[in-house]
Amino acid sequence: MIDKSIKIQRTQSVLRELIPEALSTLEDEMLRGVCVVDVECSRGKYDAIVYLDGSIYDEAEKRYILSHLDRVQRHIQTHCMQAEGWFRCPRFTFHFDDSLERQNKMDALFAKVEEELKKGKNNDA
């Protein structure tokens, strides 16, 4: 069972490198700038969820990117298969990962709380 997990992790790692490489070959400027955050393959490696950084895009841009990535999916799969010599490549599902955005909001809240606590201590002294 561990052996399969290692194979999946290796495939995910390779795809994290190959997908941005494939995107860089596209003519669409917006798609070339998309940053791949993570890739999660299914157990049989038939499907993969590709997480993208959405922190710099508004909702309209995100919809545009997702719809166009679905259109160029075959190109991305072909690039990955040729680069690795694979017989088949997972079918990609693209999602924007907002965990970085949430983390930044949490960091800002903690910084604000810390600042308020410092102000409170200075007023007490």
Side-chain angles (χ1 to χ4, degrees), residues 4-124:
K4 286 184 180 181
S5 175
I6 291 171
K7 287 181 180 180
I8 289 174
Q9 288 176 3
R10 183 186 178 287
T11 301
Q12 291 173 167
S13 176
V14 167
L15 289 173
R16 271 193 298 274
E17 293 176 22
L18 291 178
I19 293 170
E21 200 176 280
L23 292 174
S24 70
T25 65
L26 299 173
E27 290 181 16
D28 190 325
E29 189 70 35
M30 189 169 289
L31 295 183
R32 279 191 279 170
V34 172
C35 180
V36 174
V37 176
D38 199 11
V39 177
E40 286 183 10
C41 291
S42 65
R43 193 174 254 168
K45 296 191 275 186
Y46 292 107
D47 297 299
I49 300 172
V50 180
Y51 293 99
L52 310 169
D53 179 16
S55 60
I56 61 171
Y57 303 109
D58 62 29
E59 289 305 313
E61 290 171 327
K62 287 179 181 180
R63 282 192 302 275
Y64 172 88
I65 290 169
L66 291 176
S67 69
H68 283 74
L69 283 174
D70 282 339
R71 291 180 189 170
V72 297
Q73 179 170 179
R74 191 72 198 139
H75 169 78
I76 298 168
Q77 289 173 316
T78 301
H79 180 88
C80 294
M81 287 188 297
Q82 288 175 347
E84 284 297 303
W86 292 341
F87 177 70
R88 65 179 169 83
C89 185
R91 173 160 173 31
F92 301 122
T93 306
F94 298 95
H95 296 282
F96 280 100
D97 181 17
D98 62 348
S99 62
L100 182 62
E101 196 174 322
R102 281 185 282 157
Q103 181 64 42
N104 288 341
K105 286 180 182 177
M106 291 295 289
D107 289 344
L109 282 173
F110 284 126
K112 188 174 181 178
V113 167
E114 185 178 357
E115 188 178 303
E116 293 295 322
L117 288 173
K118 285 181 182 178
K119 282 183 184 177
K121 286 182 181 178
N122 289 340
N123 290 340
D124 289 344

